[in-house]
Amino acid sequence: CTCKSWSDLIGSSSFVSTHLHRNVTKHAHIYMLCLHHLNFEREADPDDPYVEQEFQWSLFSNETFEECFKLSHPLGSAEHYGIYGSSNGLVCISDEILNFDSPIHIWNPSVKKCRTPPMSANINIKFSYIALQFGFHPGVNDYKVVRMMRTNKNSLAVEVYSVRTDCWKMVEAIPPWLKCPWHHHKGTFFNGVAYHIIEKGPMFSIMSFDTGSEEFEEFIAPDAICSSRELCIDVYREQICLLFGLYGCEEEGMDKIDLWVLQQKRWKQLCPFIFPFDDCYGTIGISIDDELLLEIRDFDMGVADLYLF
C-alpha cells in the first residue's frame, strides 16, 4: 500500500514540478557533464596511432572541476557525441557533425534512460547547415528540440520536436528578414526560446524563436560587436547576454570580456569581466552561479585548463 501511494505521489505532475522548482531555485545537484578520455589528466596526442581513443562520460563539480561520478554511455558505445542542450537533468546529444538524418537522443543520466525521437517525415532534401537546440518551455510545460536547417540557396526550414507528443512539427511562417543571405554563429536556449547569433553583411543580430508561440524576433547587436571572433551568447542573471572579448583592457597585465544583457528588448552594457592577461583563452560561457567560465589553452603542452571568474 505504501509503495503504491508513494509511486502515485512522485509520479504526479505537481510533485515533479515542485521538485524541479526546488532544485532549480537552490541550485541543487548542478554538475558539468563532460565526454573525455579515460585518463583526462594525461597529455593527449590525437595523432598518435598507438593511443586508443576511448571516451568516458562523467559528472564534474561545477565549482572545483573534480570528477564526481562516472556514467555509462547512453547508447552502450564510446562514440563521440556532441551536447546540444540540457534542462532539468535531461541532456540532448547527437552527432558532432549534424546532418538532416542525424539521430537525436534525449538522455537522463540519473535514471539511465534515453529517448530517441522518431525520424522527421518533413525533410527530404539535403541542407548545408543544421543547428540543434534543446530545452524546457515553462509556459507549455514541455521539453522541446529545435532544428534549424539552411540550404545553399538561403532557404530556411525550422522543425520543433515535442517530448510530450513525441512528434515533429514544421514551422511554416518564416519572417522576411530571414529570407536573405546570413551566417549563423553560436546559440543558446532559455525559458522555451531558442536564440542564435546571426551575421547579415556587416551587421550582427540575435534571432529568437519561441517554441511555444512559434514566433521569431530579431534584436540588433550593440554597435561595438564587429566580429564573430570571441563572441558568445549565454544567460546571465536570468537574462540573455552577449560576451565579447575582442577589445583589450586598460589595466596593465589584465584582459577583459565585455558584457551586455537584454532588458526590455534593449541591450544594457554591464561591468566587464576582468582577469589576468592570457592570449590563449576561449570563452565557454556563464555558469549557473553567474560566473565566467574560460578555457585557458597551452598549445605547447597540448592541454587546457578551466577557470571561473
Side-chain angles (χ1 to χ4, degrees):
C1 293
T2 304
C3 281
K4 186 177 185 308
S5 63
W6 284 8
S7 178
D8 292 341
L9 172 65
I10 65 176
S12 65
S13 58
S14 60
F15 181 90
V16 171
S17 298
T18 303
H19 178 65
L20 289 177
H21 178 73
R22 175 185 176 275
N23 284 344
V24 169
T25 53
K26 291 189 175 184
H27 289 182
H29 313 298
I30 303 299
Y31 298 96
M32 291 178 58
L33 174 64
C34 300
L35 181 63
H36 58 88
H37 288 283
L38 294 180
N39 181 7
F40 59 86
E41 293 181 343
R42 71 176 175 87
E43 296 176 13
D45 182 5
D47 298 323
D48 188 346
Y50 300 102
V51 175
E52 191 174 356
Q53 302 296 315
E54 292 189 23
F55 296 98
Q56 165 75 46
W57 288 98
S58 296
L59 295 179
F60 291 77
S61 166
N62 70 312
E63 295 178 346
T64 65
F65 304 138
E66 292 180 354
E67 188 178 24
C68 300
F69 304 103
K70 283 183 167 60
L71 302 172
S72 58
H73 196 283
L75 304 176
S77 68
E79 213 171 321
H80 198 311
Y81 282 91
I83 299 176
Y84 294 93
S86 66
S87 183
N88 297 335
L90 299 182
V91 183
C92 180
I93 61 174
S94 187
D95 295 340
E96 257 198 315
I97 300 176
L98 292 171
N99 203 344
F100 74 96
D101 58 352
S102 292
I104 299 169
H105 310 283
I106 300 173
W107 175 34
N108 187 331
S110 299
V111 297
K112 300 179 181 179
K113 290 185 178 181
C114 193
R115 172 187 285 195
T116 302
M119 295 296 292
S120 170
N122 300 319
I123 303 302
N124 55 13
I125 61 175
K126 198 167 185 178
F127 289 86
S128 63
Y129 181 83
I130 298 176
L132 192 65
Q133 289 177 290
F134 167 80
F136 180 70
H137 196 307
V140 297
N141 193 31
D142 194 8
Y143 294 89
K144 304 278 192 176
V145 177
V146 181
R147 181 161 54 191
M148 296 190 179
M149 300 156 286
R150 284 179 54 222
T151 68
N152 292 325
K153 296 181 180 180
N154 296 310
S155 64
L156 176 68
V158 179
E159 279 191 308
V160 179
Y161 170 77
S162 164
V163 170
R164 186 170 56 192
T165 63
D166 192 30
C167 65
W168 290 93
K169 180 184 178 182
M170 179 69 76
V171 177
E172 302 294 342
I174 304 296
W177 51 269
L178 280 175
K179 297 177 180 179
C180 64
W182 52 274
H183 297 285
H184 169 273
H185 298 290
K186 297 178 181 178
T188 191
F189 196 102
F190 177 61
N191 269 353
V193 181
Y195 295 87
H196 290 268
I197 299 173
I198 62 175
E199 181 181 358
K200 295 189 290 185
M203 185 183 72
F204 287 86
S205 62
I206 308 304
M207 171 186 64
S208 72
F209 172 72
D210 190 314
T211 58
S213 64
E214 297 184 358
E215 293 179 348
F216 292 86
E217 200 165 357
E218 183 179 25
F219 306 97
I220 305 301
D223 293 338
I225 294 178
C226 56
S227 170
S228 61
R229 182 171 173 264
E230 300 302 337
L231 176 60
C232 182
I233 185 170
D234 213 315
V235 179
Y236 179 75
R237 295 183 179 176
E238 299 295 308
Q239 301 167 103
I240 288 296
C241 74
L242 289 175
L243 301 160
F244 191 50
L246 194 63
Y247 301 113
C249 183
E250 295 81 7
E251 190 175 344
E252 187 177 352
M254 305 297 286
D255 209 339
K256 72 169 183 175
I257 292 180
D258 290 305
L259 171 67
W260 291 266
V261 294
L262 189 61
Q263 294 182 348
Q264 305 296 325
K265 300 188 177 183
R266 294 178 177 272
W267 295 105
K268 178 182 179 181
Q269 188 167 13
L270 304 183
C271 292
F273 288 98
I274 297 179
F275 51 93
F277 175 79
D278 194 306
D279 60 354
C280 294
Y281 75 84
T283 305
I284 295 179
I286 302 291
S287 75
I288 196 162
D289 296 315
D290 297 316
E291 296 176 307
L292 178 67
L293 183 61
L294 291 183
E295 175 191 31
I296 307 294
R297 312 178 189 103
D298 186 334
F299 290 107
D300 293 333
M301 298 293 292
V303 296
D305 294 311
L306 295 178
Y307 287 86
L308 280 173
F309 292 96

